[in-house]
Amino acid sequence: MKASMDHLGIAVRSLDDALKFYRDQLGLEALPRETVEHEKVNVAMLPLGEARIELLEPTQSDSVIGKFLEKRGEGLHHVALRVPDLKASIERLKSAGARLLNEPRTGAGGHLYVFVHPSSTGGVLLELIQE
Ligand code: CO
């Protein structure tokens, strides 16, 4: 399978504050923000060649990212890989007993994705995205 790096998801308390570093000080380009309602996050994407940094700011404290910030503070939240056939990847992982966290959903940018639990991946929350 030919997968590729899609993005690093970083949980932040404030997109404005995080953009002061990543955009203004480091000098990365920032795409227009999006809100992903069902994940309760505001997202800012920062292109890095073929990959991106995804800054995630919770819109509510009871969201996945809100709870992550409360427990662990700001930091790397997940690693996202693009796969050529998401459905086939899901079937292979399921039959091998990997722990998937959701059925495929549409996220930022309109791409289908699933999350794989860190207990199956060596401790990293892994997002798989349909190429
Ligand atoms: Co992501």
Side-chain angles (χ1 to χ4, degrees), residues 32-122:
R33 296 175 195 200
E34 283 182 64
T35 299
V36 183
E37 299 287 354
H38 64 262
E39 300 282 6
K40 300 178 188 165
V41 286
N42 298 319
V43 178
M45 289 289 192
L46 308 161
L48 295 171
E50 297 289 299
R52 297 165 288 166
I53 287 176
E54 176 185 67
L55 299 175
L56 300 157
E57 169 197 74
T59 58
Q60 288 177 40
S61 57
D62 69 345
S63 60
V64 169
I65 296 298
K67 287 179 192 156
F68 177 88
L69 287 171
E70 197 176 300
K71 232 167 88 182
R72 313 260 300 264
E74 293 185 310
L76 185 63
H77 179 260
H78 63 273
V79 170
L81 304 181
R82 261 190 310 270
V83 297
D85 186 344
L86 181 63
K87 216 175 138 206
S89 293
I90 290 170
E91 278 167 20
R92 204 162 51 241
L93 290 171
K94 276 186 174 169
S95 63
R99 192 169 156 204
L100 302 187
L101 289 172
N102 61 281
E103 292 301 316
R105 281 183 190 161
T106 306
H111 293 281
L112 269 186
Y113 69 95
V114 293
F115 278 101
V116 188
H117 194 275
S119 62
S120 300
T121 66

